């Protein structure tokens, strides 16, 4: 088994080729992209590279993760603990939508600075909506 910086299909193939290992482990490469390990398995099984899920699908996954963090940790700790995960998810969504770095920076700051769980959820939904508009433009 090989691991280390497996963040895309090409790096996974390169890691396997260089190491001679029978499989890859994905760590940081799945940050903000929980679908990536499954897509990588699909690629190795079929040779087909899947595109990132739609922004709607990404939002649904991210919102569900956020809700589960709030349930598991409680609102006070959950909203803070979720920040890194929400940040990674926003990075992935911005990449999908072709959002410019300055818009991503502003959006991250807006979403990740709220201490109110409900407000954070609303800001997150607004961010994905804005990214969807950007992708459609």
């Amino acid at each position: 088994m090989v691991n280390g910086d497996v963040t895309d299909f090409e790096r996974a193939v390169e890691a396997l080729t260089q190491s001679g290992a029978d499989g890859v482990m994905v760590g940081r490469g799945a940050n903000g992209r929980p679908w990536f390990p499954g897509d990588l398995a699909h690629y190795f099984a079929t040779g087909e590279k899947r595109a990132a899920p739609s922004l709607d699908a990404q939002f649904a996954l991210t919102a569900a993760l956020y809700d589960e963090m709030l349930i598991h940790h409680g609102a006070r700790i959950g909203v803070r603990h979720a920040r890194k995960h929400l940040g990674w998810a926003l990075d992935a969504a911005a990449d999908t939508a072709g959002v410019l770095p300055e818009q991503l920076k502003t959006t991250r700051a807006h979403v990740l600075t709220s201490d109110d769980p409900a407000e954070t959820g609303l800001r997150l939904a607004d961010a994905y909506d804005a990214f969807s508009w950007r992708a459609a433009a």
Side-chain angles (χ1 to χ4, degrees):
M1 192 67 65
V2 66
N3 67 358
D5 294 325
V6 176
T7 57
D8 57 39
F9 301 107
E10 292 74 22
R11 287 187 183 183
V13 170
E14 182 181 340
L16 286 173
T17 301
Q18 288 182 358
S19 69
D22 293 327
V24 298
M25 292 190 309
V26 177
R28 285 183 302 251
N31 287 349
R33 304 179 311 151
W35 58 86
F36 178 63
D39 284 355
L40 191 56
H42 177 79
Y43 172 71
F44 284 128
T46 67
E48 175 191 2
K49 294 180 184 178
R50 292 184 191 164
S54 70
L55 289 170
D56 287 343
Q58 289 182 40
F59 174 68
L61 288 167
T62 302
L65 173 66
Y66 181 57
D67 289 344
E68 290 298 323
M69 286 184 170
L70 294 175
I71 291 167
H72 180 75
H73 295 289
R76 188 176 64 78
I77 294 171
V79 72
R80 289 193 169 104
H81 182 73
R83 285 182 178 152
K84 64 184 173 186
H85 299 278
L86 297 181
W88 294 326
L90 288 168
D91 292 346
D95 186 52
T96 299
V99 169
L100 299 174
E102 54 272 8
Q103 182 185 0
L104 173 59
K105 182 178 178 181
T106 301
T107 300
R108 284 176 60 97
H110 184 67
V111 173
L112 303 179
T113 55
S114 174
D115 286 328
D116 178 74
E119 182 66 27
T120 298
L122 291 173
R123 291 179 181 188
L124 184 67
D126 288 345
Y128 275 85
D129 190 45
F131 288 177
S132 293
W133 278 102
R134 170 67 175 101

